[in-house]
Amino acid sequence: MLKLPGLIDPHVHVREPGQTHKEDWDSVTQAALAGGVTMILAMPNTKPPIFDKATLNLALDAAKQKARCDYAQFLGAGPDNADKVAALANKAAGLKMYLDSTFGELRLDDMTLWMPHFEKFPKDFPIVLHSESRTMAAGILFAAIYDRPVHIAHVSLKEEILLIKAAKEKGIKVTCEVCPHHLFLTKPSRAERSGSEVEAGGRAEVRPRLATKEDVDALWQNMDVIDCFATDHAPHTLKEKDSENPPPGFPGLETLLPLLLTAVDDGPFGAAQGRLLTIDDVIQKSVINPRKIFKLPEQPETWIEVDEAAEYEIKAADQFTRCGWTPFEGWKVKGKVRKVVLRGKTAFEDGKILVKQGYGRNVRQ
Ligand code: NCD
Ligand code: ZN
């Protein structure tokens, strides 16, 4: 049995308020615990989005009643709420800015709208950027100009990880996260068919999109540049994913650890030349670094126990997420979460959730 600290997932779409048919604070925190995650940071692109005191309270009230693991809630940057969100900073996980194609209403296209947020949001809390490619480069320039930390969400491209590496070498305050689906899946292409490709169509839709094998290899090769693993758990129902207009997003809380542990065991994904992933990397990038970057408290008497030798197939039917599917259906993995102890209480054991709704704590309170 492998004993690890409880994992922290800094990027989770809870869907409550507003879209509880996809997920809510109850189901998402059950999925988290089943995945060995004891703390989640919730994204603000709900319905309504979380962008002021009233909407923050909507999310936090629901979380207080329903959450079974610990949490904090992000605020969303809008065109005219820089003063409001700055005043709420100590009640939130941080500020999220959507600068590129996404799901929901929180998108800031014009760079003049970024400026007040970079000026006003307290520098001891990170601004998280959903920014891809050249927009990401602009975001890093903003971090340099305003001399403040930014955290780049879900890095997926070679050009992105290389630019972040260069920016870090210059001392710019940039950190980043990578999602398992960008480490283990590539975009569908006829030229390079392999088992890792997700079939084209609704289910493959995700932002950032799945990238090429070359991009995936670059992420593995630059494992040292990656500060955090984050799931970007973005549940949409199977019916929605298979519809005419499929929303982007994958669930990920319950597949994060088995995928990583399988990679620890098998070496880098595919034919990548990256260095081996170690258990220490998993602890560093899923516990220590997120805690440091987002200034999160330690969770006393909290750990998870994993059966390293357990081999099994990932099945949506075994998951707690409400969305009813996983892009990793049928994948053979090694490493099963057996037990989760959260603040002294067994919260999950042998497939069963053992703590009640409301056990989870807001770590910003
Ligand atoms: C996210 C969602 O569904 O909320 N989707 C996604 O593909 N990652 C939105 C986002 O993070 O852009
Ligand atoms: Zn997201």
Side-chain angles (χ1 to χ4, degrees):
M1 218 43 103
L2 173 71
K3 192 174 164 186
L4 297 173
L7 309 183
I8 300 171
D9 186 349
H11 193 144
V12 174
H13 296 273
V14 172
R15 305 301 190 207
E16 186 172 11
Q19 295 171 312
T20 53
H21 68 285
K22 297 177 196 273
E23 199 82 289
D24 72 357
W25 278 97
D26 181 17
S27 58
V28 83
T29 51
Q30 293 196 44
L33 289 170
V37 173
T38 53
M39 192 189 295
I40 60 169
L41 304 187
M43 285 297 153
N45 65 336
T46 45
K47 267 196 169 165
I50 308 307
F51 68 100
D52 63 6
K53 195 169 178 194
T55 50
L56 178 62
N57 285 340
L58 266 185
L60 293 182
D61 287 347
K64 191 173 182 182
Q65 285 176 38
K66 295 186 177 179
R68 299 181 199 243
C69 75
D70 294 347
Y71 57 88
Q73 170 69 51
F74 276 103
L75 295 156
D80 51 14
N81 68 347
D83 286 305
K84 281 185 190 165
V85 287
L88 293 167
N90 61 358
K91 293 188 167 54
L95 182 68
K96 178 76 185 283
M97 295 181 72
Y98 288 92
L99 310 180
D100 271 308
S101 165
T102 181
F103 173 76
E105 302 152 36
L106 286 168
R107 184 170 164 169
L108 298 175
D109 281 322
D110 184 331
M111 283 191 283
T112 61
L113 300 176
W114 309 3
M115 290 172 183
H117 289 290
F118 272 80
E119 267 162 34
K120 290 174 181 168
F121 203 72
K123 286 187 183 179
D124 37 346
F125 295 102
I127 294 182
V128 177
L129 303 182
H130 177 134
S131 60
E132 299 176 35
S133 189
R134 294 173 193 196
T135 318
M136 189 205 79
I140 292 175
L141 177 64
F142 268 66
I145 292 171
Y146 290 91
D147 188 30
R148 61 151 306 133
V150 298
H151 178 79
I152 311 293
H154 39 52
V155 170
S156 64
L157 301 176
K158 180 179 183 174
E159 62 175 8
E160 293 169 351
I161 198 71
L162 293 182
L163 190 73
I164 291 169
K165 182 173 190 231
K168 284 183 173 188
E169 282 163 6
K170 284 280 179 203
I172 297 172
K173 297 182 176 104
V174 55
T175 55
C176 71
E177 68 189 31
V178 169
C179 308
H181 50 265
H182 291 126
L183 285 172
F184 293 95
L185 300 173
T186 51
K187 72 173 170 193
S189 69
R190 244 168 243 131
E192 33 174 343
R193 268 243 163 281
S194 81
S196 66
E197 289 167 9
V198 168
E199 236 175 89
R203 295 197 198 176
E205 283 295 338
V206 66
R207 296 292 173 276
R209 290 185 173 82
L210 297 178
T212 65
K213 180 79 171 54
E214 192 185 346
D215 292 306
V216 173
D217 283 353
L219 296 180
W220 284 96
Q221 282 158 12
N222 290 283
M223 195 48 77
D224 292 337
V225 183
I226 299 171
D227 298 279
C228 305
F229 294 131
T231 63
D232 192 9
H233 179 85
H236 299 283
T237 65
L238 208 46
K239 198 172 152 210
E240 292 164 336
K241 293 295 284 183
D242 289 344
S243 71
E244 290 272 288
N245 202 0
F250 295 165
L253 278 164
E254 290 159 271
T255 44
L256 163 78
L257 190 58
L259 288 168
L260 293 175
L261 291 177
T262 305
V264 167
D265 211 56
D266 290 354
F269 166 69
Q273 298 299 303
R275 76 156 164 78
L276 291 175
L277 189 70
T278 64
I279 292 283
D280 195 53
D281 287 321
V282 176
I283 298 172
Q284 206 68 42
K285 298 177 203 299
S286 285
V287 184
I288 297 177
N289 291 345
R291 187 183 286 154
K292 191 160 71 191
I293 292 166
F294 295 98
K295 298 203 164 63
L296 302 168
E298 292 214 16
Q299 296 173 289
E301 285 185 82
T302 298
W303 71 87
I304 66 178
E305 293 172 22
V306 181
D307 180 353
E308 283 176 287
E311 290 187 57
Y312 60 101
E313 263 185 33
I314 291 175
K315 288 204 185 79
D318 297 337
Q319 297 197 133
F320 286 86
T321 173
R322 190 163 290 159
C323 72
W325 76 288
T326 162
F328 299 102
E329 182 76 35
W331 278 45
K332 290 186 179 57
V333 289
K334 206 171 166 185
K336 201 174 188 85
V337 179
R338 288 284 178 217
K339 185 171 175 172
V340 177
V341 178
L342 172 55
R343 288 181 279 101
K345 230 175 151 165
T346 302
F348 174 85
E349 192 165 22
D350 290 328
K352 292 204 173 60
I353 302 288
L354 299 174
V355 283
K356 293 207 172 86
Q357 295 191 36
Y359 183 69
R361 278 195 197 157
N362 180 357
V363 299
R364 288 293 196 243
Q365 215 149 47

